[in-house]
Coordinates of all heavy atoms in Angstrom, one line a residue:
L59 N -23.0 37.6 15.9 CA -22.9 36.8 14.6 C -21.8 37.5 13.9 O -21.0 36.7 13.2 CB -24.3 36.9 13.9 CG -25.4 36.1 14.5 CD1 -26.6 36.4 13.6 CD2 -25.0 34.7 14.7
A60 N -21.6 38.7 13.8 CA -20.5 39.4 13.0 C -19.2 39.0 13.5 O -18.3 38.7 12.8 CB -20.7 40.9 12.9
Q61 N -19.1 39.0 14.9 CA -17.8 38.6 15.6 C -17.5 37.2 15.3 O -16.4 36.8 15.1 CB -17.8 39.0 17.0 CG -16.6 38.8 17.8 CD -15.5 39.8 17.3 OE1 -15.7 40.8 16.7 NE2 -14.2 39.5 17.5
Y62 N -18.6 36.4 15.4 CA -18.4 34.9 15.1 C -18.0 34.6 13.7 O -17.1 33.8 13.5 CB -19.7 34.1 15.5 CG -19.5 32.7 15.5 CD1 -19.1 31.9 16.6 CD2 -19.9 31.9 14.3 CE1 -19.0 30.6 16.6 CE2 -19.7 30.6 14.3 CZ -19.3 29.9 15.4 OH -19.2 28.5 15.3
D63 N -18.5 35.3 12.7 CA -18.2 35.3 11.3 C -16.8 35.6 11.2 O -15.9 34.8 10.6 CB -19.1 36.2 10.5 CG -18.9 36.0 9.1 OD1 -17.9 35.6 8.6 OD2 -20.0 36.3 8.3
K64 N -16.3 36.6 11.9 CA -14.9 37.0 11.7 C -14.0 36.1 12.4 O -12.9 35.8 11.6 CB -14.7 38.4 12.4 CG -13.3 39.0 12.4 CD -13.2 40.3 13.2 CE -11.7 40.8 13.1 NZ -11.7 42.1 14.0
E65 N -14.3 35.5 13.5 CA -13.3 34.6 14.2 C -13.4 33.2 13.8 O -12.6 32.6 13.2 CB -13.4 34.9 15.7 CG -13.0 36.2 16.1 CD -13.2 36.3 17.7 OE1 -13.7 35.4 18.4 OE2 -12.8 37.4 18.2
A66 N -14.7 32.6 14.1 CA -14.7 31.1 13.7 C -14.9 30.8 12.3 O -14.3 30.0 11.9 CB -16.0 30.7 14.6
V67 N -15.8 31.5 11.6 CA -15.9 31.3 10.2 C -14.6 31.6 9.4 O -14.2 30.9 8.6 CB -17.0 32.1 9.6 CG1 -17.1 31.9 8.1 CG2 -18.4 31.6 10.2
G68 N -13.9 32.7 10.0 CA -12.7 33.1 9.4 C -11.7 32.0 9.5 O -10.9 31.7 8.5
A69 N -11.6 31.3 10.6 CA -10.7 30.2 10.9 C -11.0 29.0 9.9 O -10.1 28.5 9.4 CB -10.8 29.9 12.4
A70 N -12.3 28.7 9.9 CA -12.6 27.7 8.9 C -12.3 28.0 7.5 O -11.6 27.1 6.6 CB -14.2 27.4 9.0
K71 N -12.4 29.3 7.0 CA -12.0 29.7 5.7 C -10.5 29.7 5.5 O -10.1 29.2 4.4 CB -12.6 31.1 5.4 CG -14.1 31.1 5.2 CD -14.6 32.4 4.7 CE -14.5 33.6 5.6 NZ -15.1 34.8 5.0
Q72 N -9.8 30.1 6.6 CA -8.3 29.9 6.6 C -7.9 28.6 6.2 O -7.0 28.3 5.5 CB -7.8 30.6 7.7 CG -6.3 30.7 7.7 CD -5.7 31.4 8.9 OE1 -6.4 31.8 9.8 NE2 -4.4 31.5 8.9
R73 N -8.5 27.6 7.1 CA -8.1 26.1 6.9 C -8.4 25.7 5.5 O -7.6 24.9 4.9 CB -9.0 25.3 7.9 CG -8.6 23.8 7.9 CD -9.5 23.1 8.8 NE -9.2 23.3 10.2 CZ -8.2 22.6 10.8 NH1 -7.5 21.6 10.2 NH2 -8.0 22.8 12.0
L74 N -9.6 26.1 4.9 CA -9.9 25.6 3.6 C -9.1 26.1 2.4 O -9.1 25.6 1.4 CB -11.5 25.8 3.4 CG -12.3 24.8 4.3 CD1 -13.9 25.5 4.2 CD2 -12.3 23.5 3.7
L89 N -10.9 19.9 7.9 CA -12.0 20.7 8.6 C -13.0 19.8 9.4 O -13.3 20.1 10.4 CB -12.7 21.5 7.5 CG -13.9 22.3 8.1 CD1 -13.5 23.5 9.0 CD2 -14.8 22.9 7.0
C105 N -21.9 24.8 16.1 CA -21.6 26.2 15.4 C -22.6 27.1 15.7 O -23.9 26.8 15.5 CB -21.4 25.9 13.9 SG -21.5 27.3 13.0
L106 N -22.4 28.4 16.1 CA -23.4 29.2 16.4 C -24.1 29.7 15.2 O -25.4 29.8 15.2 CB -22.7 30.6 17.0 CG -23.7 31.6 17.5 CD1 -24.4 31.2 18.8 CD2 -22.8 32.9 17.8
L107 N -23.5 29.7 14.1 CA -24.3 30.1 12.8 C -25.2 28.9 12.4 O -26.4 29.0 12.0 CB -23.4 30.3 11.7 CG -22.7 31.7 11.6 CD1 -21.6 31.8 10.4 CD2 -23.6 32.8 11.5
C108 N -24.7 27.7 12.6 CA -25.6 26.4 12.1 C -26.7 26.2 13.1 O -27.9 26.0 12.6 CB -24.7 25.1 12.3 SG -23.3 25.2 11.1
A124 N -27.4 37.6 7.9 CA -26.1 37.5 8.6 C -25.7 36.0 8.5 O -24.6 35.7 8.4 CB -26.2 38.0 10.0
V125 N -26.6 35.2 8.9 CA -26.4 33.6 8.9 C -26.0 33.3 7.5 O -25.0 32.5 7.3 CB -27.5 32.9 9.5 CG1 -27.3 31.4 9.2 CG2 -27.8 33.3 11.0
H127 N -24.7 35.0 5.2 CA -23.4 35.5 4.8 C -22.4 34.7 5.3 O -21.3 34.3 4.7 CB -23.2 36.9 5.3 CG -21.9 37.6 5.0 ND1 -20.8 37.4 5.8 CD2 -21.5 38.2 3.9 CE1 -19.8 38.1 5.3 NE2 -20.2 38.6 4.2
G128 N -22.5 34.2 6.6 CA -21.4 33.4 7.2 C -21.3 32.0 6.6 O -20.2 31.5 6.2
L129 N -22.5 31.3 6.4 CA -22.5 30.0 5.9 C -22.0 30.1 4.4 O -21.4 29.1 3.8 CB -23.9 29.5 5.9 CG -24.3 29.1 7.4 CD1 -25.8 28.5 7.4 CD2 -23.4 28.2 8.1
G130 N -22.3 31.1 3.7 CA -22.0 31.3 2.3 C -20.4 31.5 2.2 O -19.9 31.0 1.2
G131 N -19.8 32.1 3.2 CA -18.4 32.1 3.3 C -17.7 30.8 3.4 O -16.8 30.5 2.7
I132 N -18.4 30.0 4.2 CA -17.9 28.6 4.3 C -18.0 27.7 3.0 O -17.1 27.1 2.5 CB -18.5 27.9 5.5 CG1 -18.2 28.6 6.7 CG2 -18.1 26.3 5.5 CD1 -18.9 28.0 7.9
R133 N -19.2 28.0 2.4 CA -19.5 27.3 1.1 C -18.4 27.7 0.0 O -18.0 27.0 -0.7 CB -20.9 27.6 0.7 CG -21.4 26.8 -0.5 CD -21.1 27.3 -1.9 NE -21.3 28.7 -2.0 CZ -22.5 29.3 -2.2 NH1 -23.6 28.7 -2.2 NH2 -22.6 30.5 -2.3
A135 N -15.5 28.9 0.5 CA -14.2 28.3 0.8 C -14.1 26.8 0.5 O -13.0 26.3 0.1 CB -13.8 28.6 2.3
Y165 N -21.7 19.6 6.6 CA -21.0 20.5 7.8 C -22.1 21.0 8.8 O -22.0 20.8 9.9 CB -20.2 21.6 7.2 CG -19.5 22.5 8.1 CD1 -18.4 22.1 8.7 CD2 -20.1 23.8 8.6 CE1 -17.7 22.9 9.6 CE2 -19.5 24.6 9.5 CZ -18.3 24.1 9.9 OH -17.7 24.9 10.9
R169 N -22.4 19.9 12.6 CA -22.4 20.7 13.7 C -23.6 20.9 14.6 O -23.6 20.9 15.8 CB -22.1 22.2 13.2 CG -20.8 22.3 12.5 CD -19.5 21.9 13.2 NE -19.3 22.6 14.4 CZ -18.5 23.6 14.6 NH1 -17.9 24.2 13.6 NH2 -18.3 24.2 15.7

Side-chain angles (χ1 to χ4, degrees):
L59 290 177
Q61 187 65 24
Y62 188 85
D63 190 334
K64 179 181 175 183
E65 293 180 359
V67 174
K71 292 193 290 189
Q72 183 176 1
R73 178 185 289 274
L74 289 167
L89 176 68
C105 166
L106 189 66
L107 284 176
C108 297
V125 172
H127 179 270
L129 294 179
I132 296 174
R133 192 273 316 279
Y165 180 80
R169 300 304 302 269

